[in-house]
Amino acid sequence: MKAHTYETQSTITPEKALEFLKEGNQRFVNNLKANRDLLEQVNATREGQWPFAVVLSCIDSRTSAELIFDQGLGDIFSIRIAGNFVNQDILGSMEFGCNVAGSKLIVVLGHTKCGALKGGLDAAQIEGLGMDNLNHLINHFSPIIDQVIEENEERSSKNSSLLERLNQQNVRNAIEEIRKQSSTLKKLEEEGKIKIVGANYDVETGAVTWL
């Protein structure tokens, strides 16, 4: 399988880009890999890159988008931050990926048993450790926790049901924020030039489900 060129990227629709990722995850789950010459892809992409998708995922070491979607060099833009949430810099990266570099798909990829979201649920204990920047990060999730937690429900990372609801709502909120905070990406989506979708990776099975 060769690296994408401008010509091949330009023929990919948002729907086809999504299909590429679905097929790639099926290969990953079945322990199959597309036949790639990575050195050839290095040579093919040294003058430029034409990725077909942008994937926002967590920094979790189990969630490398290139691996779980079985993609090669030059195929996807991979943006990673603990808890896969968006901010202005990440939105700028997405705008570059889609409006400048021609990607056709944005995927917000959450995952089960997310440590960042566990930190949000256990914020009181985490804050007691005195890590100012980590405290700032996990506080991003407080409004989303308020959305999904039920009355008298235990706010704890040990509450697996709450953690998974938080995971999926966090993905949905990120998609909403992309559309709300980036008029560029919203316009591209409305014109049918890109899709913005959410997904969830199961760290126990390797399977991706699409929200």
Side-chain angles (χ1 to χ4, degrees):
M1 188 173 289
K2 295 184 177 181
H4 286 284
T5 64
Y6 172 78
E7 288 74 20
T8 60
Q9 185 206 55
S10 63
T11 64
I12 297 171
T13 63
E15 292 76 17
K16 188 62 178 176
L18 180 57
E19 193 61 31
F20 284 159
L21 296 187
K22 289 181 177 180
E23 291 171 354
N25 182 245
Q26 277 298 305
R27 291 194 299 273
F28 176 73
V29 169
N30 291 318
N31 201 29
L32 301 171
K33 286 186 179 180
N35 186 23
R36 291 186 176 88
D37 184 335
L38 293 179
L39 185 58
E40 186 277 333
Q41 289 189 331
V42 170
N43 291 329
T45 56
R46 61 187 172 186
E47 300 297 334
Q49 57 172 340
W50 295 273
F52 66 86
V54 178
V55 180
L56 170 62
S57 60
C58 184
I59 66 166
D60 190 292
S61 62
R62 300 164 291 182
T63 62
S64 168
E66 289 85 353
L67 292 177
I68 66 178
F69 291 120
D70 188 33
Q71 299 302 312
L73 293 171
D75 288 340
I76 62 173
F77 285 114
S78 183
I79 306 171
R80 303 185 72 171
I81 188 170
N84 43 271
F85 63 90
V86 297
N87 60 25
Q88 189 171 12
D89 301 306
I90 288 170
L91 290 168
S93 298
M94 290 178 170
E95 288 175 357
F96 172 82
C98 294
N99 205 40
V100 178
S103 293
K104 308 301 177 66
L105 178 70
I106 293 175
V107 179
V108 179
L109 180 66
H111 70 96
T112 59
K113 302 183 179 180
C114 178
L117 299 184
K118 288 181 179 180
L121 291 172
D122 298 336
Q125 297 96 296
I126 298 294
E127 287 170 359
L129 299 176
M131 292 182 282
D132 295 341
N133 294 294
L134 180 57
N135 293 340
H136 174 78
L137 186 148
I138 62 175
N139 282 331
H140 280 283
F141 309 118
S142 291
I144 309 171
I145 294 169
D146 291 340
Q147 281 182 269
V148 298
I149 195 167
E150 297 174 359
E151 188 175 359
N152 299 321
E153 186 176 17
E154 178 189 14
R155 175 174 170 155
S156 168
S157 61
K158 295 177 182 177
N159 184 343
S160 58
S161 173
L162 175 58
L163 178 61
E164 187 51 32
R165 296 200 311 274
L166 174 59
N167 171 32
Q168 297 200 20
Q169 189 62 43
N170 184 50
V171 170
R172 294 187 179 96
N173 279 36
I175 292 172
E176 289 178 14
E177 290 303 308
I178 292 168
R179 292 171 176 149
K180 184 186 302 182
Q181 296 186 38
S182 174
S183 59
T184 299
L185 297 172
K186 182 180 179 184
K187 184 170 185 287
L188 288 173
E189 185 182 37
E190 289 173 345
E191 292 173 347
K193 294 178 179 177
I194 68 169
K195 272 186 176 293
I196 305 172
V197 299
N200 184 37
Y201 175 72
D202 191 322
V203 298
E204 294 186 7
T205 68
V208 172
T209 56
W210 300 87
L211 305 183

